């Protein structure tokens, strides 16, 4: 057991399996009290069960950690409010929110249904916004009452959100939205003593094992680069008091690799000083593109 997060109260959504479970266990091993949130649904978001979250709580308690389960649907307004209330009622405070919950309904865009689009956007994008909104309201209340806040939000984006993924238009759009939401939240929450960062992890989970079965197979020996536990140390550090100067950042993380993603920023530019004519722009655009870096290829293209 370590003490990097001793005394801190942490919510982890989607914490019963994969990355969320690894995060919850890692925080508990560093002294945090953990709210293990999971609705207990299957990979496509159907069904619900309290069993998986309760199992993680029992595992944390088995090594002397402190945890409670919360089975709320974080993509519902009431469920997100209940999530924050659970932390405050169980442990008296909230210091860290790790937004991780999600599921997949993969399909090529030409075959993607409205329900499949709505469901994935809801669980990933609204499932990040709603907990952040209720957590931020709690932290704002603490500051207004004269208290001191040193809080963290860690969101979960994806390489699919940063560069796209064939067959995952709904997921890619939601994860790109999370990247943008992270920037806005970092700017808005700073006044309350809250930092907001995001990760784009790569690991072997229920959501990735089908798409990357060959590359993500566990090695017979040596370092398992795709183990979910490889991602959690960065998440735990971002949740600690040590990270208070870091906000509005996106980290790609997998295996032993940590990368700060630069994101969108202005590149080559031409300014005529007056309105362009459409016919003029062909050579201008070609010249600008010749100076710009090639875009990262879309996954699966």
């Amino acid at each position: 057991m370590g003490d990097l997060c001793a005394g801190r109260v942490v919510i982890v959504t989607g914490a019963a399996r994969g990355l969320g479970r690894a995060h919850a266990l890692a925080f508990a091993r560093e002294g945090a009290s953990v709210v293990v949130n999971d609705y207990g649904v299957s990979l496509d978001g159907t069904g619900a069960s309290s069993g998986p979250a309760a199992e993680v709580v029992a595992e944390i308690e088995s090594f002397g950690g402190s945890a409670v389960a919360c089975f709320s649907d974080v993509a519902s307004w009431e469920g997100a409010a209940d999530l924050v209330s659970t932390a405050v009622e169980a442990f008296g405070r909230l210091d860290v929110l790790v937004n991780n919950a999600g599921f997949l309904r993969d399909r090529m865009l030409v075959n993607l249904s409205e329900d499949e689009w709505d469901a994935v956007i809801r669980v990933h994008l609204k499932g990040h916004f709603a907990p952040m909104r209720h957590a931020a309201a709690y932290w704002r209340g603490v500051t207004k009452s004269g208290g001191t806040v040193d809080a963290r939000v860690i969101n979960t984006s994806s390489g699919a959100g940063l560069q796209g993924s064939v067959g995952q238009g709904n997921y890619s759009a939601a994860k790109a939205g999370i990247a943008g939401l992270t920037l806005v939240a970092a700017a808005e929450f700073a006044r309350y003593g809250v930092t907001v960062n995001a990760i784009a992890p790569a690991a072997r989970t229920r959501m990735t094992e089908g798409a990357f079965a060959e590359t993500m197979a566990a090695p017979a020996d040596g370092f398992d680069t795709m183990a979910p536990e490889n991602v959690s140390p960065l998440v735990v550090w971002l949740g600690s008091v040590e990270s208070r100067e870091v906000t509005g950042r996106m980290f790609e993380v997998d295996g032993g690799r940590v990368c700060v993603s630069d994101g969108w920023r202005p590149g080559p530019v031409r300014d005529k000083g007056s309105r362009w004519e459409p016919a003029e722009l062909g050579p201008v655009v070609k010249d600008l593109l010749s100076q710009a870096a090639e875009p990262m290829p879309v996954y699966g293209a």
Side-chain angles (χ1 to χ4, degrees):
M1 297 281 285
D3 61 2
L4 184 63
C5 291
R8 289 175 78 71
V9 175
V10 180
I11 290 172
V12 182
T13 71
R17 303 178 180 90
L19 285 167
R21 173 181 173 276
H23 299 341
L25 293 171
F27 270 109
R29 290 192 175 105
E30 288 295 334
S33 297
V34 184
V35 177
V36 178
N37 167 259
D38 203 289
Y39 201 39
V41 298
S42 62
L43 180 58
D44 66 357
T46 58
S49 169
S50 62
E55 290 173 6
V56 176
V57 169
E59 189 171 358
I60 290 172
E61 291 176 341
S62 72
F63 58 74
S66 177
V68 295
C70 176
F71 312 114
S72 299
D73 174 5
V74 295
S76 75
W77 200 249
E78 298 78 10
D82 179 64
L83 177 63
V84 173
S85 295
T86 296
V88 176
E89 291 170 5
F91 301 116
R93 58 185 294 137
L94 173 62
D95 300 291
V96 183
L97 168 64
V98 180
N99 283 315
N100 170 76
F103 57 70
L104 297 176
R105 292 187 182 174
D106 292 351
R107 208 168 306 279
M108 303 295 277
L109 287 171
V110 71
N111 295 319
L112 190 65
S113 72
E114 182 180 11
D115 287 346
E116 289 165 337
W117 172 271
D118 288 347
V120 169
I121 295 296
R122 176 185 181 275
V123 72
H124 288 279
L125 193 50
K126 187 178 178 183
H128 272 61
F129 162 66
M132 274 205 302
R133 164 64 173 76
H134 289 287
Y138 165 75
W139 289 318
R140 180 179 60 184
V142 173
T143 61
K144 284 188 173 182
S145 65
T148 300
V149 173
D150 192 8
R152 310 284 180 266
V153 177
I154 300 102
N155 291 329
T156 306
S157 183
S158 168
L162 303 183
Q163 63 194 73
S165 179
V166 171
Q168 293 188 308
N170 48 5
Y171 179 73
S172 296
K175 291 302 191 182
I178 289 167
L181 184 63
T182 298
L183 298 179
V184 175
E188 292 185 357
F189 295 176
R191 70 194 72 179
Y192 308 125
V194 182
T195 68
V196 187
N197 293 286
I199 61 167
R204 186 190 313 102
T205 70
R206 290 194 306 168
M207 291 175 57
T208 59
E209 62 186 1
F212 305 109
E214 292 183 7
T215 58
M216 290 194 172
D221 52 53
F223 178 44
D224 183 356
T225 60
M226 300 315 298
E229 291 77 10
N230 299 332
V231 176
S232 300
L234 177 63
V235 175
V236 171
W237 184 84
L238 287 171
S240 74
V241 296
E242 289 188 5
S243 69
R244 66 170 57 95
E245 303 301 324
V246 181
T247 195
R249 295 290 191 161
M250 174 71 70
F251 296 90
E252 296 181 77
V253 54
D254 57 87
R257 187 182 74 104
V258 176
C259 171
V260 179
S261 182
D262 282 340
W264 294 101
R265 60 180 63 241
V269 61
R270 283 275 296 277
D271 185 352
K272 180 182 176 182
S274 61
R275 183 183 302 124
W276 294 95
E277 294 294 331
E280 296 179 290
L281 284 166
V284 172
V285 171
K286 290 178 182 178
D287 180 57
L288 290 175
L289 292 176
S290 72
Q291 302 173 54
E294 286 293 319
M296 295 290 291
V298 173
Y299 286 114

